[in-house]
Amino acid sequence: MRFVLPDGPRGLLVGSQTGVFAFDGARFTRRSGLTDGLDITAMQRLSDGRLVVGALSEAVYFEHDGRWHLLGADEGMPSNSPFALVEHDGYLWVPGIRGIARVPVEDLAALAEGRITHVRGQMVLNERGDPMAGQQGYCCNGAGTSKGFLRDDTLWLPTRDGVVAFDTAAIRPNTVAPPVAIERVMAQGQWQAAHALADGELPAAARDLTFDFTVLSFQDPRSNSVEYRLVGYDADWQPAALTNRSARYTNLPPGDYVFEVRGRNNTGMASDAPARLAFSIRPLLHETRAFAITLAVLALALLALGLHYLQGRHRRQRLALEAVVQQRTEALAAANDRLREASQTDPLTGLRNRRYMASQIPADLSYYDRQIRKGPEQGKVMVFALVDIDHFKAINDTHGHRAGDLVLQQFAHILRGLVRSGDYVVRWGGEEFLLVFRPMPAAQVALMGERVRAAVASHAFDLGNGQSQHLTCSIGLAEYPLFAGRHDAAGWETLVELADQALYFVKTRGRDGWAAFRPTATTPTDDLLRAMQAGPEVLLADGRLSMVGSESVYADTGETTA
Ligand SMILES: Nc1nc2c(ncn2[C@@H]2O[C@H](COP(=O)(O)OP(=O)(O)OP(=O)(O)O)[C@@H](O)[C@H]2O)c(=O)[nH]1
């Protein structure tokens, strides 16, 4: 039995070498919830009724809401094996084998309820001044256990050297912070005195630095603590190890630094003038501002160059593309021209075909209309001549289709030789051809008919089989304008129709000749063609039509040559 605590009117609490027991006058009952086998050295009920116990194992336990909580070094309480536990002046005082410690009573509930993780435990008196109570004390004979009390503000305590009276109201905290000194610096494997580096510059290669420093105090080293920081690198103060008053930095970037060290005494008081060592680390070339600027400028220049190159390439590509498009467009236009040419050309003779004629003649007629009306061509006529080879079928039948083709080609050649540039030579279909002559005096129509007839009749056609043959042709002619001064009275189709009528007229009168019908003054302009359905002979007979033609035609009609 170590400690007896009166506990209300009914009983006692007893601290023993094996825990806490409640005694009700008859029986001892173990208080559950405490660590097993605790050697109790002190007990106390706080003013709020909570029980606090101290153990020989240098720990204090307190009750809170029916549970026990440890108040040890990990919780911020200096280690101690209490002689007594005393509540006074808002503190729980813990005098014990290591000295006298205290903790604010309010911190116990805050710790138990999880509002704080560390209490504000404080060693106010011990042999060496160590704030966390220093070396473990060993109890020799238990002389101090369960002893000590408070009277007024004074704690009365037993020690080996006699009774100690500790005035709790007269605590004067240590206000003297220990001075510190930076001793030396290691850079690039070489130590140098700190003062030699002060405000100096380290070479660019010195990136790993070690600082040695010391506390200038005769007190037990454990009663002081040291912290350091490298201004320009550390965000906060770093605690130095008790056994190694040294700080090491690796891979420091270039720049300006101040290494600072300060000491704290056993009450936590820090010196407000830390030891300082200002120095700088020179940058490598690639770490300089000038280098970064040069690099940025170079990058920009490269970018600009790249952009310029890309723009140039795009321009060249665009030009090349435009050239290709231009080429293709031209090729397409040429192909279209060839296609149009082919569609308007007769492949056998190389002459223009009906399609060409139909697309061109309206514009030509209106042009000549204007010319004729204006002056120089006045009184002239354009002449349409339909030319048909006589008995051409017989060539095919007798000498074969190939011979017929040869004849058609030679025939085309003859016709071409009879026209001037600007005149039309069109293969109208089969063995039928259409010539359109530019304006000429009306008197020349007979000349043209005869010239064509004679040119064909005088030609010996090569049949391709070693033979040749003379052929004749029939020609029907029509003049434009059909009615003098009435250019719009009949279109070119009417003229071709009239020429066809004349051609037929020749064919029916022995062929190898030509004929041209001219409406007379009595011919109604509007229905000439309809009137001709009755046959040109009728119109000739009643004088609505006059005719010019070759001798053979007149011979057959019984008229005389015009
Ligand atoms: N070889 C050849 N013959 C063709 C071509 N086009 C039409 N023909 C032939 O031309 C002949 C025309 O015969 P017809 O219309 O009876 O006329 P024709 O024999 O000249 O008699 P008339 O005109 O009355 O003097 C037909 O036998 C057609 O086959 C061609 O491109 N080549």
Side-chain angles (χ1 to χ4, degrees):
M1 197 174 294
R2 300 274 197 194
F3 201 106
V4 175
L5 182 70
D7 195 29
R10 286 187 296 131
L12 297 172
L13 280 175
V14 177
S16 75
Q17 280 182 290
T18 58
V20 177
F21 293 84
F23 181 67
D24 59 3
R27 285 182 15 186
F28 287 95
T29 311
R30 179 182 290 279
R31 291 294 300 263
S32 60
L34 262 176
T35 309
D36 279 350
L38 277 184
D39 191 343
I40 304 299
T41 59
M43 294 197 295
Q44 184 60 276
R45 266 205 193 278
L46 298 177
S47 51
D48 60 13
R50 286 179 296 166
L51 187 61
V52 184
V53 301
L56 197 62
S57 54
E58 301 200 315
V60 173
Y61 296 83
F62 65 95
E63 253 184 336
H64 185 84
D65 286 344
R67 291 187 59 196
W68 286 97
H69 297 271
L70 171 63
L71 200 59
D74 288 346
E75 287 75 32
M77 190 67 197
S79 301
N80 212 354
S81 172
F83 296 163
L85 293 164
V86 177
E87 183 182 7
H88 174 63
D89 204 15
Y91 286 97
L92 173 66
W93 296 84
V94 187
I97 199 161
R98 295 215 200 194
I100 302 171
R102 66 177 181 180
V103 57
V105 173
E106 63 183 10
D107 283 12
L108 304 191
L111 181 74
E113 289 164 7
R115 284 183 275 120
I116 56 174
T117 55
H118 285 77
V119 296
R120 287 169 285 170
Q122 185 186 10
M123 187 55 97
V124 290
L125 177 75
N126 79 338
E127 200 175 356
R128 294 186 180 85
D130 187 331
M132 286 310 280
Q135 286 179 332
Q136 186 175 5
Y138 294 99
C139 176
C140 327
N141 54 12
T145 304
S146 181
K147 295 176 182 70
F149 60 89
L150 179 86
R151 172 159 297 166
D152 301 326
D153 288 333
T154 302
L155 271 172
W156 293 85
L157 300 164
T159 74
R160 279 180 310 185
D161 302 323
V163 173
V164 168
F166 181 83
D167 186 353
T168 59
I171 295 173
R172 285 198 299 276
N174 182 1
T175 57
V176 180
V180 292
I182 303 168
E183 292 177 300
R184 55 182 189 165
V185 182
M186 182 191 270
Q188 295 181 286
Q190 297 290 322
W191 284 109
Q192 58 181 302
H195 63 80
L197 173 61
D199 297 321
E201 188 181 57
L202 285 166
R207 298 303 168 92
D208 299 343
L209 303 179
T210 305
F211 300 89
D212 272 8
F213 43 86
T214 190
V215 182
L216 305 175
S217 168
F218 290 112
Q219 284 189 305
D220 185 319
R222 278 168 295 197
S223 64
N224 299 311
S225 62
V226 186
E227 52 195 14
Y228 61 86
R229 68 178 177 186
L230 184 58
V231 179
Y233 187 78
D234 285 329
D236 224 331
W237 291 94
Q238 315 288 324
L242 178 69
T243 53
N244 183 20
R245 298 280 154 96
S246 171
R248 179 166 169 71
Y249 292 90
T250 55
N251 278 328
L252 285 171
D256 297 326
Y257 297 99
V258 180
F259 183 68
E260 292 183 338
V261 187
R262 70 182 181 188
R264 284 185 188 275
N265 67 12
N266 58 334
T267 61
M269 178 79 70
S271 62
D272 49 8
R276 303 175 84 250
L277 175 61
F279 64 96
S280 59
I281 300 176
R282 203 179 304 148
L284 290 166
L285 176 66
H286 68 268
E287 294 169 324
T288 59
R289 193 180 185 76
F291 184 84
I293 291 171
T294 312
L295 212 65
V297 168
L298 268 176
L300 280 176
L302 263 174
L303 200 70
L305 218 66
L307 270 176
H308 183 71
Y309 168 76
L310 279 179
Q311 276 174 348
R313 206 171 70 171
H314 282 149
R315 202 182 53 248
R316 285 192 296 279
Q317 280 176 342
R318 184 168 45 77
L319 289 176
L321 205 65
E322 280 173 7
V324 169
V325 170
Q326 172 78 15
Q327 253 175 26
R328 298 278 155 81
T329 309
E330 284 171 7
L332 196 65
N336 278 337
D337 285 350
R338 283 197 298 279
L339 204 65
R340 196 179 56 248
E341 190 84 2
S343 75
Q344 295 181 344
T345 304
D346 169 47
L348 178 67
T349 60
L351 296 180
R352 298 298 192 181
N353 61 14
R354 246 180 219 246
R355 193 177 291 120
Y356 175 80
M357 165 81 182
S359 70
Q360 295 293 314
I361 200 75
D364 277 5
L365 283 183
S366 57
Y367 171 74
Y368 286 122
D369 276 350
R370 287 196 300 277
Q371 293 293 313
I372 290 168
R373 256 182 268 141
K374 262 199 239 166
E377 310 283 1
Q378 220 155 24
K380 292 184 176 178
V381 293
M382 288 179 71
V383 176
F384 285 65
L386 261 181
V387 186
D388 188 283
I389 307 172
D390 295 334
H391 304 303
F392 177 69
K393 185 172 179 303
I395 302 290
N396 275 339
D397 294 348
T398 313
H399 302 282
H401 206 262
R402 161 100 186 106
D405 283 355
L406 280 174
V407 167
L408 288 171
Q409 285 169 337
Q410 291 164 66
F411 198 83
H413 184 72
I414 293 167
L415 295 182
R416 256 202 220 102
L418 292 171
V419 300
R420 299 166 298 171
S421 74
D423 294 344
Y424 288 75
V425 186
V426 176
R427 186 174 178 199
W428 199 243
E431 86 293 16
E432 200 171 33
F433 297 82
L434 175 68
L435 304 179
V436 182
F437 297 98
R438 286 182 291 140
M440 63 177 74
Q444 284 187 11
V445 173
L447 203 62
M448 293 316 300
E450 184 53 28
R451 188 180 291 169
V452 174
R453 189 204 64 76
V456 172
S458 63
H459 186 81
F461 287 85
D462 181 4
L463 301 179
N465 54 4
Q467 299 179 46
S468 62
Q469 187 174 327
H470 281 276
L471 293 168
T472 60
C473 68
S474 301
I475 305 145
L477 298 149
E479 295 160 320
Y480 177 87
L482 198 51
F483 301 96
R486 292 286 316 277
H487 294 270
D488 53 349
W492 65 273
E493 295 94 338
T494 307
L495 288 180
V496 174
E497 186 75 22
L498 197 60
D500 196 45
Q501 292 271 2
L503 171 65
Y504 180 75
F505 192 78
V506 177
K507 283 278 183 189
T508 54
R509 281 165 174 72
R511 300 177 172 83
D512 190 21
W514 58 271
F517 296 136
R518 285 180 181 142
T520 61
T522 59
T523 310
T525 53
D526 297 338
D527 65 348
L528 171 66
L529 285 176
R530 199 159 13 94
M532 280 182 69
Q533 299 303 318
E537 291 86 349
V538 177
L539 300 182
L540 283 170
D542 66 15
R544 282 188 285 176
L545 214 57
S546 71
M547 185 195 75
V548 286
S550 58
E551 264 180 49
S552 57
V553 176
Y554 281 107
D556 275 17
T557 57
E559 294 182 32
T560 52
T561 312

Coordinates of all heavy atoms in Angstrom, one line a residue, residues 415-483:
L415 N -14.6 20.8 -152.9 CA -15.4 21.9 -152.4 C -14.6 22.9 -151.7 O -14.8 24.1 -151.8 CB -16.5 21.3 -151.6 CG -17.6 20.4 -152.3 CD1 -18.7 20.0 -151.3 CD2 -18.2 21.2 -153.4
R416 N -13.7 22.4 -150.9 CA -12.8 23.3 -150.1 C -12.0 24.2 -151.0 O -11.8 25.4 -150.7 CB -11.8 22.5 -149.3 CG -12.2 22.4 -147.8 CD -11.0 22.1 -147.0 NE -11.4 21.1 -145.9 CZ -11.2 19.8 -145.9 NH1 -10.5 19.3 -146.9 NH2 -11.6 19.1 -144.9
G417 N -11.6 23.7 -152.1 CA -10.8 24.5 -153.1 C -11.7 25.6 -153.8 O -11.1 26.5 -154.4
L418 N -13.0 25.5 -153.6 CA -13.8 26.4 -154.3 C -14.3 27.6 -153.4 O -14.9 28.5 -153.9 CB -15.1 25.7 -154.8 CG -14.9 24.7 -155.9 CD1 -16.1 23.9 -156.2 CD2 -14.4 25.4 -157.2
V419 N -14.0 27.5 -152.2 CA -14.5 28.6 -151.3 C -13.3 29.5 -150.8 O -12.2 29.1 -150.9 CB -15.2 28.0 -150.1 CG1 -16.4 27.1 -150.5 CG2 -14.2 27.2 -149.2
R420 N -13.7 30.7 -150.3 CA -12.7 31.6 -149.7 C -12.8 31.4 -148.2 O -13.8 30.8 -147.7 CB -13.1 33.0 -150.0 CG -13.1 33.3 -151.5 CD -13.7 34.6 -151.8 NE -15.2 34.6 -151.4 CZ -15.9 35.7 -151.4 NH1 -15.4 36.9 -151.7 NH2 -17.2 35.6 -151.0
S421 N -11.8 31.9 -147.5 CA -11.8 31.8 -146.1 C -13.0 32.5 -145.5 O -13.3 33.6 -146.0 CB -10.5 32.2 -145.4 OG -10.5 33.6 -145.4
G422 N -13.7 32.0 -144.6 CA -14.9 32.6 -144.0 C -16.1 32.0 -144.6 O -17.2 32.2 -144.1
D423 N -16.0 31.3 -145.8 CA -17.2 30.6 -146.3 C -17.3 29.2 -145.6 O -16.4 28.7 -145.0 CB -16.9 30.3 -147.8 CG -16.9 31.5 -148.6 OD1 -17.3 32.6 -148.1 OD2 -16.4 31.5 -149.8
Y424 N -18.5 28.7 -145.6 CA -18.7 27.4 -144.9 C -18.7 26.3 -145.9 O -19.2 26.4 -147.0 CB -20.2 27.4 -144.3 CG -20.4 28.2 -143.1 CD1 -20.5 29.6 -143.2 CD2 -20.5 27.6 -141.8 CE1 -20.7 30.3 -142.1 CE2 -20.7 28.4 -140.7 CZ -20.9 29.7 -140.8 OH -21.1 30.5 -139.7
V425 N -18.0 25.2 -145.5 CA -18.2 23.9 -146.3 C -18.6 22.9 -145.2 O -17.8 22.5 -144.4 CB -16.8 23.5 -146.9 CG1 -17.1 22.3 -147.8 CG2 -16.2 24.6 -147.7
V426 N -19.8 22.4 -145.3 CA -20.4 21.5 -144.3 C -20.8 20.2 -144.9 O -21.4 20.2 -146.0 CB -21.6 22.2 -143.6 CG1 -22.2 21.3 -142.6 CG2 -21.1 23.5 -143.0
R427 N -20.4 19.1 -144.3 CA -21.0 17.8 -144.8 C -22.4 17.8 -144.1 O -22.6 17.6 -142.9 CB -20.2 16.7 -144.3 CG -20.7 15.4 -145.0 CD -19.9 14.2 -144.7 NE -20.4 13.0 -145.3 CZ -20.1 11.8 -144.9 NH1 -19.2 11.5 -144.0 NH2 -20.7 10.7 -145.5
W428 N -23.4 17.9 -145.0 CA -24.8 18.1 -144.5 C -25.4 16.7 -144.1 O -26.2 16.6 -143.3 CB -25.6 18.7 -145.6 CG -26.9 19.3 -145.0 CD1 -28.2 18.9 -145.4 CD2 -27.0 20.4 -144.1 NE1 -29.1 19.7 -144.7 CE2 -28.4 20.6 -143.9 CE3 -26.1 21.2 -143.4 CZ2 -28.9 21.6 -143.0 CZ3 -26.6 22.1 -142.6 CH2 -28.0 22.3 -142.4
G429 N -24.8 15.7 -144.7 CA -25.3 14.3 -144.4 C -25.1 13.4 -145.6 O -25.2 13.9 -146.7
G430 N -24.6 12.2 -145.3 CA -24.4 11.2 -146.4 C -23.5 11.8 -147.5 O -22.4 12.2 -147.2
E431 N -24.1 11.8 -148.7 CA -23.2 12.4 -149.8 C -23.7 13.8 -150.2 O -23.5 14.3 -151.3 CB -23.3 11.4 -151.0 CG -24.5 11.6 -152.0 CD -25.8 11.2 -151.4 OE1 -26.0 11.2 -150.2 OE2 -26.8 11.1 -152.2
E432 N -24.3 14.5 -149.2 CA -24.8 15.8 -149.4 C -24.0 16.9 -148.6 O -23.7 16.6 -147.5 CB -26.3 15.9 -148.9 CG -27.1 17.0 -149.5 CD -28.6 16.8 -149.1 OE1 -28.8 16.3 -148.0 OE2 -29.4 17.2 -149.9
F433 N -23.7 18.0 -149.3 CA -22.8 19.0 -148.7 C -23.5 20.4 -148.8 O -24.2 20.6 -149.8 CB -21.4 19.0 -149.4 CG -20.7 17.8 -149.3 CD1 -20.9 16.7 -150.1 CD2 -19.7 17.6 -148.3 CE1 -20.3 15.5 -149.9 CE2 -19.0 16.4 -148.1 CZ -19.3 15.3 -149.0
L434 N -23.2 21.2 -147.9 CA -23.7 22.6 -147.9 C -22.6 23.6 -147.9 O -21.7 23.5 -147.1 CB -24.6 22.8 -146.6 CG -25.1 24.3 -146.5 CD1 -26.2 24.5 -147.6 CD2 -25.7 24.5 -145.1
L435 N -22.7 24.5 -148.9 CA -21.7 25.6 -149.0 C -22.5 26.9 -148.6 O -23.6 27.0 -149.1 CB -21.1 25.7 -150.4 CG -20.4 24.5 -151.0 CD1 -19.9 24.8 -152.4 CD2 -19.3 24.1 -150.1
V436 N -21.9 27.7 -147.8 CA -22.4 29.0 -147.6 C -21.4 30.1 -147.9 O -20.3 30.1 -147.3 CB -22.9 29.2 -146.1 CG1 -23.5 30.6 -145.9 CG2 -23.9 28.1 -145.7
F437 N -21.7 30.9 -148.9 CA -20.7 31.9 -149.4 C -21.0 33.2 -148.8 O -22.1 33.6 -148.6 CB -20.8 32.0 -150.9 CG -20.4 30.7 -151.6 CD1 -21.4 29.9 -152.1 CD2 -19.1 30.4 -151.9 CE1 -21.0 28.7 -152.8 CE2 -18.7 29.2 -152.5 CZ -19.7 28.4 -153.0
R438 N -19.9 33.9 -148.5 CA -20.1 35.3 -148.0 C -20.7 36.2 -149.0 O -20.7 35.8 -150.2 CB -18.7 35.8 -147.5 CG -18.2 35.2 -146.2 CD -16.9 35.8 -145.8 NE -15.8 35.3 -146.7 CZ -14.9 36.1 -147.2 NH1 -14.8 37.4 -146.8 NH2 -13.9 35.7 -148.0
P439 N -21.2 37.3 -148.6 CA -21.9 38.2 -149.6 C -21.2 38.4 -150.9 O -19.9 38.6 -150.9 CB -22.0 39.5 -148.8 CG -22.0 39.1 -147.4 CD -21.1 37.9 -147.3
M440 N -21.9 38.2 -151.9 CA -21.4 38.4 -153.3 C -22.5 39.1 -154.1 O -23.7 39.0 -153.8 CB -21.0 37.1 -153.9 CG -22.2 36.1 -154.1 SD -21.8 34.6 -154.9 CE -20.9 33.7 -153.6
P441 N -22.1 39.7 -155.2 CA -23.1 40.3 -156.0 C -24.1 39.3 -156.5 O -23.7 38.1 -156.8 CB -22.3 40.9 -157.2 CG -21.0 41.1 -156.7 CD -20.7 40.0 -155.7
A442 N -25.4 39.6 -156.6 CA -26.4 38.6 -156.9 C -26.1 37.9 -158.2 O -26.4 36.7 -158.4 CB -27.8 39.3 -156.9
A443 N -25.5 38.6 -159.2 CA -25.3 38.1 -160.5 C -24.3 36.9 -160.5 O -24.3 36.1 -161.4 CB -24.7 39.2 -161.4
Q444 N -23.5 36.8 -159.4 CA -22.5 35.7 -159.4 C -23.1 34.4 -159.0 O -22.3 33.4 -159.0 CB -21.4 36.1 -158.4 CG -20.5 37.2 -159.0 CD -19.3 37.5 -158.1 OE1 -19.1 36.7 -157.2 NE2 -18.6 38.5 -158.4
V445 N -24.4 34.3 -158.6 CA -24.9 33.0 -158.2 C -24.8 32.0 -159.2 O -24.3 30.8 -159.0 CB -26.4 33.2 -157.8 CG1 -27.0 31.9 -157.5 CG2 -26.5 34.1 -156.6
A446 N -25.1 32.3 -160.5 CA -25.0 31.4 -161.6 C -23.6 30.9 -161.8 O -23.3 29.7 -162.0 CB -25.5 32.1 -162.9
L447 N -22.7 31.9 -161.6 CA -21.2 31.6 -161.7 C -20.8 30.5 -160.7 O -20.1 29.6 -161.0 CB -20.5 32.9 -161.5 CG -19.1 33.0 -162.0 CD1 -19.2 32.9 -163.6 CD2 -18.4 34.3 -161.6
M448 N -21.3 30.7 -159.5 CA -20.9 29.8 -158.4 C -21.4 28.4 -158.7 O -20.7 27.4 -158.5 CB -21.5 30.3 -157.0 CG -20.9 31.6 -156.5 SD -19.1 31.7 -156.7 CE -18.6 30.3 -155.7
G449 N -22.7 28.3 -159.1 CA -23.3 27.0 -159.4 C -22.5 26.3 -160.5 O -22.2 25.1 -160.3
E450 N -22.2 27.0 -161.5 CA -21.5 26.4 -162.6 C -20.1 26.0 -162.2 O -19.6 25.0 -162.6 CB -21.5 27.4 -163.8 CG -20.9 26.8 -165.1 CD -21.5 25.5 -165.5 OE1 -22.7 25.2 -165.2 OE2 -20.8 24.7 -166.1
R451 N -19.5 26.9 -161.4 CA -18.1 26.6 -161.0 C -18.1 25.3 -160.2 O -17.2 24.4 -160.5 CB -17.6 27.7 -160.1 CG -16.1 27.6 -159.9 CD -15.6 28.7 -159.0 NE -15.6 29.9 -159.7 CZ -15.4 31.1 -159.2 NH1 -15.2 31.2 -157.8 NH2 -15.3 32.2 -159.9
V452 N -19.0 25.0 -159.3 CA -19.0 23.8 -158.5 C -19.3 22.6 -159.5 O -18.6 21.6 -159.4 CB -20.1 23.9 -157.4 CG1 -20.2 22.6 -156.7 CG2 -19.8 25.0 -156.5
R453 N -20.3 22.8 -160.3 CA -20.7 21.7 -161.2 C -19.5 21.3 -162.0 O -19.1 20.1 -162.1 CB -21.8 22.1 -162.1 CG -22.4 21.0 -162.9 CD -23.1 21.5 -164.1 NE -22.2 22.1 -165.1 CZ -21.4 21.4 -165.9 NH1 -21.4 20.1 -165.8 NH2 -20.6 22.0 -166.7
A454 N -18.8 22.3 -162.6 CA -17.7 22.0 -163.5 C -16.5 21.4 -162.8 O -15.9 20.5 -163.3 CB -17.3 23.3 -164.2
A455 N -16.2 21.9 -161.6 CA -15.1 21.4 -160.9 C -15.3 19.9 -160.6 O -14.3 19.1 -160.7 CB -14.9 22.2 -159.6
V456 N -16.5 19.5 -160.2 CA -16.8 18.1 -159.9 C -16.7 17.3 -161.2 O -16.1 16.2 -161.2 CB -18.1 17.9 -159.2 CG1 -18.5 16.5 -159.0 CG2 -18.1 18.6 -157.8
A457 N -17.4 17.8 -162.2 CA -17.5 17.0 -163.4 C -16.1 16.8 -164.1 O -15.9 15.7 -164.7 CB -18.4 17.7 -164.4
S458 N -15.2 17.7 -163.8 CA -13.9 17.5 -164.5 C -12.9 16.7 -163.7 O -11.8 16.4 -164.1 CB -13.2 18.9 -164.7 OG -13.0 19.5 -163.4
H459 N -13.3 16.3 -162.5 CA -12.4 15.5 -161.6 C -12.5 14.0 -161.9 O -13.6 13.5 -161.9 CB -12.7 15.8 -160.2 CG -11.7 15.2 -159.2 ND1 -10.5 15.8 -159.0 CD2 -11.7 14.1 -158.5 CE1 -9.8 15.0 -158.1 NE2 -10.6 14.0 -157.8
A460 N -11.4 13.3 -162.0 CA -11.4 11.9 -162.0 C -11.2 11.4 -160.6 O -10.2 11.5 -160.0 CB -10.3 11.4 -162.9
F461 N -12.3 10.7 -160.1 CA -12.2 10.3 -158.7 C -11.5 8.9 -158.6 O -11.8 8.0 -159.3 CB -13.7 10.1 -158.1 CG -14.3 11.5 -157.8 CD1 -15.0 12.2 -158.8 CD2 -14.2 12.0 -156.6 CE1 -15.5 13.4 -158.6 CE2 -14.8 13.3 -156.3 CZ -15.5 14.0 -157.3
D462 N -10.5 8.9 -157.7 CA -9.7 7.7 -157.5 C -10.5 6.8 -156.6 O -10.9 7.2 -155.5 CB -8.4 8.1 -156.8 CG -7.5 6.9 -156.5 OD1 -7.9 5.8 -156.9 OD2 -6.5 7.0 -155.9
L463 N -10.8 5.6 -157.0 CA -11.7 4.7 -156.2 C -10.9 3.8 -155.3 O -11.4 3.0 -154.6 CB -12.5 3.8 -157.2 CG -13.4 4.7 -158.1 CD1 -14.2 3.7 -159.0 CD2 -14.4 5.5 -157.3
G464 N -9.5 3.9 -155.4 CA -8.7 3.2 -154.4 C -8.4 1.8 -154.8 O -7.7 1.0 -154.1
N465 N -9.0 1.4 -155.9 CA -8.8 0.0 -156.4 C -8.1 0.0 -157.7 O -8.2 -0.9 -158.5 CB -10.1 -0.7 -156.5 CG -11.1 0.0 -157.3 OD1 -10.7 1.1 -157.9 ND2 -12.3 -0.4 -157.4
G466 N -7.3 1.1 -158.0 CA -6.6 1.2 -159.3 C -7.5 1.8 -160.3 O -7.0 2.1 -161.4
Q467 N -8.8 2.0 -160.0 CA -9.6 2.6 -161.0 C -10.0 4.0 -160.6 O -10.0 4.4 -159.4 CB -10.9 1.8 -161.1 CG -10.7 0.3 -161.5 CD -12.0 -0.4 -161.6 OE1 -13.0 0.1 -162.1 NE2 -12.0 -1.6 -161.0
S468 N -10.4 4.8 -161.6 CA -10.9 6.1 -161.3 C -12.2 6.3 -162.1 O -12.4 5.6 -163.1 CB -9.9 7.2 -161.6 OG -9.5 7.1 -163.0
Q469 N -12.9 7.3 -161.7 CA -14.2 7.5 -162.4 C -14.6 8.9 -162.3 O -14.4 9.6 -161.3 CB -15.3 6.6 -161.6 CG -16.6 6.6 -162.3 CD -17.6 5.6 -161.7 OE1 -17.1 4.6 -161.1 NE2 -18.8 5.9 -161.7
H470 N -15.2 9.4 -163.4 CA -15.8 10.7 -163.4 C -17.2 10.7 -162.8 O -17.9 9.8 -163.1 CB -15.8 11.3 -164.8 CG -14.4 11.8 -165.3 ND1 -14.0 13.0 -164.9 CD2 -13.4 11.2 -165.9 CE1 -12.7 13.2 -165.4 NE2 -12.4 12.1 -166.0
L471 N -17.5 11.7 -162.0 CA -18.8 11.8 -161.4 C -19.4 13.2 -161.6 O -18.7 14.1 -161.9 CB -18.7 11.5 -159.9 CG -18.2 10.1 -159.4 CD1 -17.9 10.1 -158.0 CD2 -19.4 9.1 -159.7
T472 N -20.7 13.3 -161.4 CA -21.3 14.6 -161.5 C -22.0 14.9 -160.2 O -22.1 14.0 -159.4 CB -22.4 14.6 -162.7 OG1 -23.4 13.6 -162.4 CG2 -21.7 14.4 -164.0
C473 N -22.5 16.1 -160.1 CA -23.2 16.4 -158.9 C -24.4 17.4 -159.3 O -24.4 18.0 -160.3 CB -22.3 17.1 -157.8 SG -21.7 18.7 -158.3
S474 N -25.4 17.5 -158.4 CA -26.5 18.4 -158.6 C -26.4 19.4 -157.5 O -26.1 19.1 -156.3 CB -27.8 17.6 -158.5 OG -27.8 16.6 -159.5
I475 N -26.7 20.7 -157.8 CA -26.6 21.8 -156.9 C -27.9 22.6 -156.8 O -28.4 23.0 -157.9 CB -25.4 22.7 -157.3 CG1 -24.2 21.9 -157.5 CG2 -25.2 23.8 -156.3 CD1 -23.3 22.4 -158.6
G476 N -28.4 22.8 -155.6 CA -29.5 23.7 -155.4 C -29.1 24.9 -154.7 O -28.4 24.8 -153.7
L477 N -29.4 26.1 -155.2 CA -28.9 27.3 -154.6 C -30.1 28.2 -154.1 O -31.2 28.1 -154.6 CB -28.2 28.1 -155.7 CG -26.9 27.4 -156.3 CD1 -26.7 27.9 -157.7 CD2 -25.7 27.7 -155.5
A478 N -29.7 29.0 -153.1 CA -30.7 29.9 -152.5 C -29.9 31.2 -152.1 O -28.8 31.0 -151.7 CB -31.5 29.4 -151.4
E479 N -30.6 32.3 -152.2 CA -29.9 33.6 -151.9 C -30.5 34.2 -150.6 O -31.6 34.0 -150.3 CB -30.0 34.6 -153.0 CG -29.4 34.2 -154.2 CD -29.9 35.0 -155.4 OE1 -31.2 35.2 -155.4 OE2 -29.2 35.4 -156.3
Y480 N -29.6 34.8 -149.9 CA -30.0 35.5 -148.6 C -29.6 37.0 -148.8 O -28.5 37.3 -149.1 CB -29.3 34.9 -147.4 CG -29.7 35.6 -146.1 CD1 -30.8 35.2 -145.4 CD2 -28.9 36.6 -145.6 CE1 -31.1 35.9 -144.2 CE2 -29.2 37.3 -144.5 CZ -30.3 36.9 -143.7 OH -30.6 37.6 -142.6
P481 N -30.5 37.9 -148.5 CA -31.9 37.7 -148.1 C -32.7 37.2 -149.3 O -32.4 37.5 -150.5 CB -32.3 39.1 -147.7 CG -31.4 40.0 -148.4 CD -30.1 39.3 -148.6
L482 N -33.8 36.5 -148.9 CA -34.7 35.9 -149.9 C -35.4 37.0 -150.6 O -35.6 37.0 -151.8 CB -35.6 35.0 -149.2 CG -36.3 33.9 -150.0 CD1 -35.4 33.2 -150.9 CD2 -37.1 33.0 -149.1
F483 N -35.9 38.0 -149.8 CA -36.6 39.1 -150.3 C -35.7 40.3 -150.1 O -35.3 40.6 -149.0 CB -38.0 39.3 -149.6 CG -38.9 38.1 -149.8 CD1 -38.9 37.2 -148.7 CD2 -39.6 37.9 -150.9 CE1 -39.7 36.1 -148.8 CE2 -40.5 36.8 -151.0 CZ -40.5 35.9 -150.0

